């Protein structure tokens, strides 16, 4: 158990650097990391040496970052606003941002607050959650935060801060049996249990949203879900993996964070809660909200253009195209997996994965090579983000290349969800 009453080492940065520095250096030298692209044309990007390659790393799954109306909106900021207004949001916001938050609140049926990124939303919200002040107005409760093993780094990074005020536990990935045990134990200690998880995991795979909502109802379990990769691509309103399973307003025991940069196609992040009193509390005491500036004017205008596209029904055709591209990829790779725009190709050995990424790049396809500490040691993989604006030829070409490098370099398989199997 990890709690505020114990001295537990939750980070070991020197060890991580020692174990991974050689792989990072090779990835940089091979143009697989820290590359400054010189231009882009749709899904093709241009490397410093002039090569054009098809990228599978951009998380704009619907291609809305290139939509003419979104680009035009980002350029339409009135001159009176200037380049920036550098002021904490606890002092000033500006009217277009207030309107965006009201539009998002109506679209997603809760109280929305926007941030410069999903990570800054976590920094503002999670310490308040750990303190126990978000469960009941005017009261504080002891809290147990139960992290899924694969909860995103932006949340897991905060464990040392959260452990100062709450019990912090971790359960195996998507293990409802372990979650049930931890939630029951927390209730027995007089703590409110909160499950911390992703809607779509960044290394592939989903949380079983419907089953999780049913379990939360049964156990009086609170849910803190980062649906950064799901917003936009699930649901009639683009409401994401979890909210697409809910009719009506967001339930009280669900707190959602999301990205406005990925499937949404603009820039920024945000959170969604039920109840204006929670919204007021976060606006008053959320760390980034209280002390840092908001999204840029350009980002706000672009986000409002995306909301308009949602309201006009322009999102559904893009969602269908994305599903078609993912289905084609899965068919070519000979696999059947739940829909997600993120697909992982297991390799195993870190050096082999880097070789595979290098050969893939030589064939004209750029995919992320992920290795420790992003995944466990000897569990290196290739990560691909599939988008609606990939062509069928893009999908066929990368699948053929992947099959070749996998046959050459893979040392073991996985379950398709980013979790290594021996």
């Amino acid at each position: 158990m990890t709690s505020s009453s114990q001295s537990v080492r939750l980070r070991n940065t020197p060890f991580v650097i020692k174990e991974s520095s050689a792989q990072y250096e090779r990835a940089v030298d091979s143009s697989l990391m820290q590359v400054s692209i010189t231009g882009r044309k749709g899904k093709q990007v241009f490397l410093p040496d002039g090569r054009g390659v098809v990228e599978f790393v951009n998380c704009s799954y619907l291609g809305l970052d290139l939509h003419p109306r979104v680009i035009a909106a980002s350029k339409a900021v009135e001159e009176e606003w200037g380049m920036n207004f550098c002021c904490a949001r606890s002092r000033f916001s500006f009217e277009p941002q207030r309107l965006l938050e009201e539009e998002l609140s109506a679209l997603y049926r809760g109280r929305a607050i926007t941030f410069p990124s999903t990570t800054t939303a976590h920094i503002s919200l999670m310490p308040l959650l750990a303190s126990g002040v978000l469960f009941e107005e005017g009261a504080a409760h002891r809290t147990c935060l139960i992290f899924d093993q694969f909860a995103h780094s932006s949340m897991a990074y905060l464990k040392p801060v959260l452990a100062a005020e709450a019990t912090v536990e971790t359960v195996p990935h998507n293990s409802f049996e372990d979650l049930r045990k931890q939630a029951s134990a927390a209730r027995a200690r007089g703590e409110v249990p909160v499950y911390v998880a992703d809607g779509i995991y960044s290394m592939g795979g989903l949380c079983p949203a419907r089953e999780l909502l049913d379990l939360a109802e049964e156990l009086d379990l609170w849910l803190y879900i980062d649906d950064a990769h799901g917003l936009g691509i699930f649901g009639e309103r683009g409401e994401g993996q979890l909210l697409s399973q809910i009719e009506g307003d967001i339930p009280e025991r669900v707190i959602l964070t999301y990205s406005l940069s990925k499937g949404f196609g603009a820039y920024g992040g945000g959170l969604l809660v039920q109840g204006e009193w929670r919204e007021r509390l976060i606006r008053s005491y959320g760390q980034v909200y209280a002390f840092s500036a908001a999204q840029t004017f350009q980002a706000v205008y672009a986000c409002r253009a995306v909301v308009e596209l949602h309201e006009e029904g322009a999102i559904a055709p893009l969602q269908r195209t994305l599903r078609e591209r993912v289905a084609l990829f899965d068919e070519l790779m000979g696999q059947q997996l739940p829909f997600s725009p993120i697909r992982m190709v297991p390799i195993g050995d870190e050096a082999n994965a880097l070789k595979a990424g290098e050969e893939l790049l030589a064939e004209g396809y750029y995919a992320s090579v992920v290795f420790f500490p992003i995944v466990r040691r000897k569990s290196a993989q290739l990560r691909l983000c599939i988008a609606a604006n990939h062509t069928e030829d893009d999908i066929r070409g990368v699948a053929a290349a992947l099959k070749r490098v996998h046959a050459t370099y893979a040392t073991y398989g996985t379950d398709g969800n980013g979790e290594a199997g021996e």
Side-chain angles (χ1 to χ4, degrees):
M1 179 178 72
T2 301
S3 71
S4 57
S5 64
Q6 294 177 301
S7 177
V8 177
R9 191 171 190 180
L10 295 174
R11 295 187 57 77
N12 191 349
T13 303
F15 173 80
V16 168
I17 294 173
K18 175 178 176 292
E19 292 294 313
S20 62
S21 60
Q23 285 75 42
Y24 274 102
E25 289 174 9
R26 176 167 176 176
V28 172
D29 290 342
S30 300
S31 296
L32 293 173
M33 293 185 73
Q34 300 179 21
V35 182
S36 295
I37 60 175
T38 60
R40 66 187 293 205
K41 184 177 181 181
K43 297 304 290 183
Q44 187 180 50
V45 297
F46 299 97
L47 305 182
D49 62 7
R51 280 181 296 167
V53 297
V54 179
E55 57 86 3
F56 284 85
V57 294
N58 184 356
C59 294
S60 180
Y61 303 120
L62 300 180
L64 290 171
D65 60 325
L66 292 172
H67 194 287
R69 281 174 54 184
V70 178
I71 294 173
S74 73
K75 299 177 180 178
V77 180
E78 291 90 342
E79 289 187 7
E80 67 183 275
W81 291 118
M83 175 59 198
N84 185 31
F85 195 101
C86 189
C87 172
R89 288 197 69 192
S90 55
R91 306 307 176 198
F92 279 151
S93 190
F94 66 103
E95 184 65 2
Q97 185 140 46
R98 185 193 69 80
L99 292 172
L100 170 62
E101 290 179 336
E102 290 303 320
E103 291 161 358
L104 292 171
S105 295
L107 187 63
Y108 299 134
R109 300 174 186 170
R111 297 306 305 165
I113 307 176
T114 56
F115 287 86
S117 66
T118 311
T119 297
T120 53
H122 291 318
I123 293 171
S124 290
L125 183 52
M126 294 192 79
L128 290 175
L129 185 63
S131 73
V133 299
L134 292 177
F135 305 121
E136 180 184 359
E137 187 172 8
H141 296 267
R142 293 165 56 195
T143 306
C144 178
L145 300 177
I146 307 167
F147 280 74
D148 186 280
Q149 176 188 3
F150 292 163
H152 194 267
S153 170
S154 58
M155 298 185 289
Y157 187 84
L158 292 171
K159 283 182 179 180
V161 174
L162 305 176
E165 293 191 274
T167 301
V168 176
E169 305 282 3
T170 302
V171 295
H173 180 51
N174 279 347
S175 174
F176 283 5
E177 179 181 354
D178 289 277
L179 175 58
R180 180 186 294 276
K181 291 177 181 176
Q182 291 288 358
S184 299
R187 286 293 182 189
R189 296 191 300 267
E191 299 170 341
V192 178
V194 182
Y195 183 47
V196 180
D198 295 11
I200 297 180
Y201 287 87
S202 59
M203 294 298 110
L206 315 176
C207 81
R210 182 65 263 163
E211 295 90 333
L212 181 58
L213 288 164
D214 292 342
L215 186 67
E217 184 74 24
E218 175 191 342
L219 299 178
D220 194 19
L221 172 71
W222 285 67
L223 303 177
Y224 185 92
I225 305 297
D226 180 342
D227 210 3
H229 290 279
L231 197 78
I233 66 174
F234 283 89
E236 293 180 358
R237 295 171 284 120
E239 63 268 37
Q241 219 275 107
L242 188 80
L243 289 187
S244 65
Q245 301 295 318
I246 298 171
E247 294 184 5
D249 296 343
I250 185 172
E252 182 177 52
R253 64 166 58 87
V254 174
I255 297 175
L256 193 79
T257 54
Y258 51 81
S259 172
L260 299 171
S261 304
K262 296 181 170 65
F264 194 83
Y267 191 81
L271 59 86
L272 193 74
V273 294
Q274 192 240 64
E276 292 185 0
W277 71 268
R278 290 188 181 89
E279 177 190 0
R280 290 195 300 271
L281 199 64
I282 296 164
R283 290 186 190 273
S284 297
Y285 297 100
Q287 181 74 15
V288 176
Y289 193 96
F291 297 108
S292 296
Q295 294 168 281
T296 66
F297 300 130
Q298 292 80 6
V300 170
Y301 278 51
C303 285
R304 295 193 68 196
V306 176
V307 172
E308 290 180 357
L309 292 171
H310 278 73
E311 292 171 344
E312 294 169 9
I315 303 303
L318 297 174
Q319 290 177 330
R320 288 193 294 271
T321 300
L322 175 61
R323 287 180 177 268
E324 290 169 0
R325 297 294 183 266
V326 172
L328 175 61
F329 179 85
D330 287 347
E331 177 186 351
L332 294 169
M333 296 298 292
Q335 59 191 19
Q336 291 183 327
L337 297 171
F339 167 70
S340 167
I342 301 171
R343 285 294 183 247
M344 307 300 296
V345 179
I347 302 296
D349 178 76
E350 288 84 357
N352 279 7
L354 288 164
K355 291 177 184 176
E358 290 164 355
E359 290 196 13
L360 201 67
L361 186 60
E363 294 196 39
Y365 302 101
Y366 189 105
S368 294
V369 181
V370 294
F371 46 83
F372 179 81
I374 302 170
V375 294
R376 293 177 295 181
R377 283 176 289 180
K378 300 299 179 183
S379 302
Q381 303 173 56
L382 302 177
R383 177 182 185 261
L384 291 91
C385 295
I386 299 172
N389 54 338
H390 278 120
T391 67
E392 290 190 7
D393 285 344
D394 292 337
I395 301 298
R396 294 183 187 279
V398 78
L402 284 167
K403 290 169 80 171
R404 287 193 291 272
V405 300
H406 186 266
T408 302
Y409 294 111
T411 55
Y412 69 85
T414 75
D415 64 1
N417 292 321
E419 183 172 3
E422 299 299 327

